[in-house]
Amino acid sequence: MRRSGTKAILAAAVACTTALAVSTAPAAAEPSPQTTPSDIGLGDVIPAPVEVTPDSDADYRLGPGTLIRTEPRSAEARAIGRQLAGTLRPATGYPLPVVPAHGNSAGGISLLLDDVGDELGSEGYRLDVTDRGVTIRANEPAGLFAGTQTLRQLLPAAIESDTRQHETWTVAGGSIVDHPRFEYRSAMLDIARHFHTPDEIKSYIDELARYKINYFHIHLTDDQGWRIEIDSWPELATVGGGPGTGVDGVGGGYLTKDDYRDIVAYAADRHITIVPEIDMPGHTNSALSTYAELNCDGVASPPRTDMAVGYSSLCIDKEITYEFVDDVIREIAELTPGPYLHIGGDEAHETSAEDYRAFMQRAVPIVQKYGKQPLGWNEIVAAEPSTDTIAQYWHTTTDHDEIADAVERGHRVIMSPANKAYLDMKYDEDTPLGLSWAAYIEVRDAYGWDPADYVNGVGEDAVLGVEAPLWSETLRSLDHIEYMAFPRLAAIAELGWSPQQAHDWTSFSERLGQQAPRWEARGVDFYRSPQVPWES
Ligand code: IFG
């Protein structure tokens, strides 16, 4: 548990009194600078680690001579070591050289690849702190990366500053054994309603990585905007994503293929895999208003900048529709190293059930043809696609026969119920941004559910993981993204990573409170929920 400032002061007072009371005994040894206790408990991390064993006699203090030693001959471990050095150097002012770990060289910070047991999988790690140093061991580099995100939170919040801070850089002693509950822990950003620049997207990715999020779903296309260059249909981006597109006509812009490749690489360096979404057959007015031939009547639909949904549909009976779908999915698949490609499928209210089924029966195999595993919003299961199609649950009810039946057929589910996980929902009626059709979602609401126990018939084995979607009808900037995403994203991240047994609002809210100075140091414009005991 955290040794709060108050407790540390009280402890010092008691030690002092004891010394005075037995003046013949040697005074209680004043903690030497090397053992100034860390006031961050070993378990004060989000997401909560699986197993924490503090050892208060083993605090470690970073110093100017600290080395970062990485698994020899592992370029990935070395890259993680360099990344860690890059995050620790500014505030400490220490050189923190990154060197290969040789022999039993101890001390400093070591990132080692080891057989730490199958239970830890590819993302788990062991983190051991002694007075000699910190050792992070993992089966795979992704586990080393996860361990470094934990280490960052074990250092004083001032570590997040990009200028030299005069601080004692102590890490609480002891051991952590950690691994994720779900393999898919994601955030989604809608850049269709409002385009967000590559820099804004990368800033958001930086924050996601700190909470062990490992997938990032980009909603690239919708009625109001098409936000990704497609060579075979060039006006999708230049017109469908041009100036004047977006809600209120102020969300124009699009990602070139190089922008997208750059974001994929940037995310991969942070062990985050990009999941692109091309929404279809509904939410397609940006394509229908750009290419007349895609419309059943051959007439381009008018562009739309309002916030309505459910009014558009690709023309199910035209062959050109499937040439379009094939071209777009091929080009997106070629740009995307990750295993998943999301084809939306939500709110196709202008597509009859039989047309929807016919469409998905052709579209899903196209995704598979190009080597990707299909994802779709939960409506997709009505078309009875191949059961490797992953359904993303976004409805709000705890009973949903269609999704429960799909699980029976073998589908797996990503849980993002709109009344729990939708970050575009207002916190309360006073929130200046966002919508409220699903619910007001305060932090405790975002935390207070179990992804494997939310929908009847959708249990632990059927749940691939969780996702926190952020729709951008009302967002215009990175500040807006941050205000709606933090602190609730941290809640969803904990639901995705930590064991259900560790689920505890009091513990989470206290650990969440400790994130405030870190977000402030990083300029993250978070919402100071009255439900959280924020550290000043
Ligand atoms: N539902 C729509 C989104 C967006 C959202 C805003 C899904 C799957 C409402 N579809 O959520 O396009 O408009 O909260």
Side-chain angles (χ1 to χ4, degrees):
M1 257 320 276
R2 166 175 170 61
R3 285 174 281 179
S4 73
T6 316
K7 288 181 192 154
I9 293 166
L10 282 177
V14 167
C16 193
T17 308
T18 307
L20 289 176
V22 284
S23 56
T24 52
E30 277 306 306
S32 71
Q34 273 60 37
T35 59
T36 308
S38 161
D39 71 357
I40 297 175
L42 193 60
D44 291 348
V45 175
I46 293 178
V50 173
E51 199 182 305
V52 176
T53 312
D55 174 356
S56 55
D57 296 332
D59 287 5
Y60 172 65
R61 182 178 176 190
L62 248 64
T66 296
L67 300 180
I68 295 179
R69 306 170 194 275
T70 64
E71 181 69 32
R73 293 181 300 285
S74 167
E76 287 187 279
R78 187 162 56 250
I80 295 165
R82 287 183 177 149
Q83 227 168 11
L84 177 63
T87 57
L88 304 183
R89 283 178 184 142
T92 61
Y94 299 155
L96 297 168
V98 180
V99 299
H102 280 307
N104 61 356
S105 54
I109 298 171
S110 300
L111 307 180
L112 304 175
L113 292 173
D114 222 341
D115 176 359
V116 292
D118 293 345
E119 192 193 12
L120 269 57
S122 61
E123 295 183 273
Y125 62 91
R126 296 185 58 92
L127 183 146
D128 293 292
V129 185
T130 70
D131 56 1
R132 300 286 311 282
V134 179
T135 303
I136 299 173
R137 287 185 178 83
N139 291 319
E140 301 287 340
L144 292 181
F145 184 78
T148 60
Q149 300 314 308
T150 295
L151 176 57
R152 294 175 79 169
Q153 293 189 32
L154 296 176
L155 284 158
I159 197 67
E160 296 299 340
S161 172
D162 51 15
T163 56
R164 176 87 183 264
Q165 304 294 308
H166 293 287
E167 179 70 60
T168 305
W169 306 108
T170 306
V171 179
S175 290
I176 289 177
V177 180
D178 203 6
H179 55 85
R181 177 184 181 189
F182 295 112
E183 65 180 88
Y184 186 96
R185 305 176 309 279
S186 177
M188 183 216 87
L189 182 62
D190 166 13
I191 66 168
R193 275 48 180 270
H194 278 89
F195 180 63
H196 291 285
T197 65
D199 283 347
E200 290 176 328
I201 294 170
K202 290 176 187 174
S203 293
Y204 193 35
I205 288 172
D206 280 340
E207 292 307 312
L208 299 176
R210 295 165 187 279
Y211 299 104
K212 302 188 177 75
I213 293 290
N214 64 345
Y215 285 94
F216 184 55
H217 167 180
I218 309 181
H219 186 76
L220 292 162
T221 66
D222 212 299
D223 289 318
Q224 299 88 344
W226 187 284
R227 306 295 180 205
I228 179 69
E229 203 172 40
I230 300 291
D231 299 333
S232 48
W233 298 73
E235 292 186 347
L236 287 172
T238 57
V239 176
T245 61
V247 169
D248 304 332
V250 295
Y254 61 87
L255 299 177
T256 64
K257 287 194 166 183
D258 281 345
D259 290 334
Y260 183 86
R261 291 187 186 99
D262 190 36
I263 289 165
V264 165
Y266 191 88
D269 283 348
R270 289 151 183 82
H271 294 270
I272 292 176
T273 300
I274 295 297
V275 178
E277 179 188 351
I278 304 291
D279 205 343
M280 58 181 82
H283 287 276
T284 44
N285 194 66
S286 59
L288 294 165
S289 61
T290 303
Y291 285 98
E293 60 269 44
L294 288 175
N295 296 263
C296 286
D297 60 5
V299 176
S301 60
R304 295 281 291 265
T305 59
D306 59 304
M307 289 169 50
V309 297
Y311 56 82
S312 58
S313 174
L314 292 174
C315 185
I316 305 303
D317 298 334
K318 275 186 154 182
E319 269 316 299
I320 192 170
T321 296
Y322 303 95
E323 291 164 29
F324 167 77
V325 169
D326 194 285
D327 287 340
V328 170
I329 289 176
R330 180 186 69 252
E331 292 194 36
I332 295 294
E334 284 166 358
L335 287 173
T336 303
Y340 300 125
L341 199 155
H342 200 305
I343 53 170
D346 61 310
E347 299 179 315
H349 303 325
E350 286 304 307
T351 315
S352 70
E354 63 199 287
D355 277 357
Y356 183 88
R357 182 189 185 91
F359 176 80
M360 285 299 179
Q361 285 292 329
R362 292 185 69 175
V364 166
I366 292 173
V367 175
Q368 294 165 321
K369 175 174 73 171
Y370 291 113
K372 300 302 174 188
Q373 185 167 358
L375 267 60
W377 300 104
N378 56 252
E379 292 94 323
I380 200 168
V381 299
E384 292 190 324
S386 66
T387 53
D388 77 327
T389 304
I390 293 167
Q392 180 166 3
Y393 187 73
W394 67 281
H395 289 182
T396 58
T397 56
T398 54
D399 278 310
H400 195 288
D401 294 345
E402 209 172 61
I403 202 76
D405 294 346
V407 164
E408 283 285 310
R409 295 198 299 274
H411 288 278
R412 297 189 77 191
V413 179
I414 291 166
M415 288 301 294
S416 46
N419 56 330
K420 300 290 184 185
Y422 267 33
L423 303 179
D424 63 311
M425 291 301 115
K426 291 175 181 289
Y427 291 96
D428 61 26
E429 59 275 10
D430 300 327
T431 307
L433 299 166
L435 305 174
S436 57
W437 63 269
Y440 289 121
I441 302 180
E442 249 290 3
V443 182
R444 189 158 188 171
D445 304 313
Y447 186 72
W449 62 291
D450 175 3
D453 187 26
Y454 186 77
V455 177
N456 296 317
V458 182
E460 187 96 19
D461 293 344
V463 174
L464 184 71
V466 291
E467 180 172 296
L470 179 54
W471 300 99
S472 63
E473 282 94 339
T474 65
L475 309 184
R476 301 284 190 283
S477 67
L478 178 60
D479 278 357
H480 289 178
I481 291 172
E482 292 170 345
Y483 187 79
M484 298 305 278
F486 298 102
R488 292 175 297 186
L489 187 280
I492 304 299
E494 176 141 324
L495 292 176
W497 177 280
S498 304
Q500 175 53 15
Q501 299 78 342
H503 191 270
D504 178 282
W505 168 253
T506 304
S507 163
F508 176 72
S509 61
E510 284 177 0
R511 288 179 283 118
L512 191 59
Q514 293 174 270
Q515 298 301 308
R518 295 171 190 274
W519 285 326
E520 280 171 342
R522 294 199 299 269
V524 172
D525 179 33
F526 69 101
Y527 164 67
R528 280 182 174 271
S529 166
Q531 297 181 341
V532 177
W534 297 110
E535 284 245 320
S536 59

